[in-house]
Amino acid sequence: EIIEKLSQSMERYETETLNNSQLSYLTPTQVHYLDAIYHLENPKISELASYLNVSKPTVTFAVNKLDKDGYVQKTQSNKDRRFFSIHLTSKGEELAKLHDDIHKNYAEIFKNALDKKELKILEGLLEKVLKEV
């Protein structure tokens, strides 16, 4: 039950913070894509599809919309014209960093609520759980 409450708390925190930010006019899926592109550092369509566990046509559709809205830019490979890399524009990078900061700020809540020993124990337990996910 406590894990469910924590998960709901994280979701609420992110939603409230997003709604009060420049990210408020993006869909959660679009934010997720920007975050993935930011962390993958200019992935190819296929790499992004694999990372997000969706089809290449789904990624292509979403990336085309983000491109049209000025958040990303697709660059065709000179070696193989079938492949495109996805790059964040300055606007897209700003929003991806903002999203990243939201997660870092939530982590700060844990750092402020727990002492160093408790934090180490929690980190160890969460690492164990993440290996299973």
Side-chain angles (χ1 to χ4, degrees):
E1 189 176 311
I2 192 71
I3 294 170
E4 289 175 23
K5 286 182 181 179
L6 179 62
S7 178
Q8 291 167 353
S9 168
M10 288 180 186
E11 187 175 331
R12 242 187 343 272
Y13 180 85
E14 183 173 26
T15 300
E16 288 171 9
T17 309
L18 288 174
N19 288 340
N20 295 318
S21 75
Q22 296 171 315
L23 295 166
S24 64
Y25 48 88
L26 294 174
T27 67
T29 300
Q30 289 173 315
V31 172
H32 191 56
Y33 271 75
L34 290 176
D35 184 62
I37 295 164
Y38 178 71
H39 288 286
L40 291 173
E41 299 178 1
N42 308 324
K44 294 182 182 126
I45 296 280
S46 58
E47 292 169 336
L48 186 57
S50 176
Y51 181 82
L52 296 172
N53 199 28
V54 296
S55 69
K56 284 191 256 182
T58 299
V59 168
T60 300
F61 179 81
V63 166
N64 286 342
K65 173 79 169 111
L66 290 170
D67 185 19
K68 180 182 169 209
D69 292 342
Y71 300 110
V72 302
Q73 183 177 20
K74 294 188 320 185
T75 305
Q76 194 170 27
S77 170
N78 290 331
K79 295 178 184 176
D80 189 336
R81 311 286 292 163
R82 296 173 296 167
F83 294 105
F84 288 86
S85 292
I86 308 156
H87 307 270
L88 293 173
T89 62
S90 58
K91 180 179 173 182
E93 187 166 343
E94 179 184 340
L95 295 179
K97 285 180 180 177
L98 177 62
H99 181 253
D100 210 40
D101 286 345
I102 291 169
H103 287 264
K104 288 177 183 172
N105 291 340
Y106 193 81
E108 282 295 318
I109 295 170
F110 287 82
K111 291 178 183 175
N112 294 331
L114 303 172
D115 64 34
K116 288 185 186 224
K117 184 179 178 184
E118 292 169 327
L119 196 55
K120 274 287 185 208
I121 292 168
L122 179 62
E123 286 173 349
L125 293 170
L126 292 174
E127 282 179 12
K128 186 175 181 178
V129 170
L130 283 174
K131 287 179 183 175
E132 299 296 320
V133 179

